[in-house]
Amino acid sequence: KHYYKSLRLIFYGLLSAQVIFALLVLFKVWDEPLKSDQDDFILVMQYLVPTLVVAMIISSRLFFRAWVRKAFPLQLSQQLKIHQSGSIVRWALIEGGTLVSLLVFLLSSEYFFLSCAAFSLYFFWTHKPKIAQIAEDLDWDPEQTALFKISVQGD
């Protein structure tokens, strides 16, 4: 019954942790930029970080689809548990790309890496829990979706 609330709470907890860390890193770089003499490091990271961010986004989608397929023959409560665990792993994969981008930004003070983190955060935000998306992910018919909406409104 409290599935939707807990899923949203987990999502916003992960999102707020990323945003707070991004703000701390940004203020640290503004206050005291670390200028690295390691141009080779920055050059390598300029290719590695965006590739990693895109790979994490793609792998999160592939993992989630494969994970949720296991839920189709099961009862509703089991489907929701599988969906929740798949959502958490999907968000964690996207969050990994954000955190790596922010760490490299902290080490290099290059704003390109902050933009990679912002890109990753945008994709994280697009995966916030929505009733219609949960219904689509679990391939529910309109009746199941309506019952789920009613139970969510009762919370």
Side-chain angles (χ1 to χ4, degrees), residues 18 49 52-53 56 92-102 116-117 120:
Q18 292 175 80
V49 169
L52 179 76
V53 167
M56 296 299 253
L93 287 168
I94 297 170
E95 182 180 26
T98 305
L99 296 178
V100 168
S101 299
L102 290 170
C116 291
S120 185

Side-chain angles (χ1 to χ4, degrees), residues 11 14-15 17-19 21 49-65 85-103 113 115-129:
F11 173 82
L14 291 171
L15 178 65
Q18 292 175 80
V19 169
F21 184 64
V49 169
T51 303
L52 179 76
V53 167
V54 170
M56 296 299 253
I57 290 169
I58 292 170
S59 65
S60 74
R61 182 178 179 88
L62 295 175
F63 168 82
F64 182 75
R65 296 267 182 229
S85 61
S87 295
I88 291 168
V89 173
R90 172 174 56 179
W91 297 331
L93 287 168
I94 297 170
E95 182 180 26
T98 305
L99 296 178
V100 168
S101 299
L102 290 170
L103 287 173
F113 301 115
S115 67
C116 291
F119 178 76
S120 185
L121 269 172
Y122 167 76
F123 272 94
F124 188 90
W125 177 256
T126 63
H127 289 93
K128 70 180 175 178

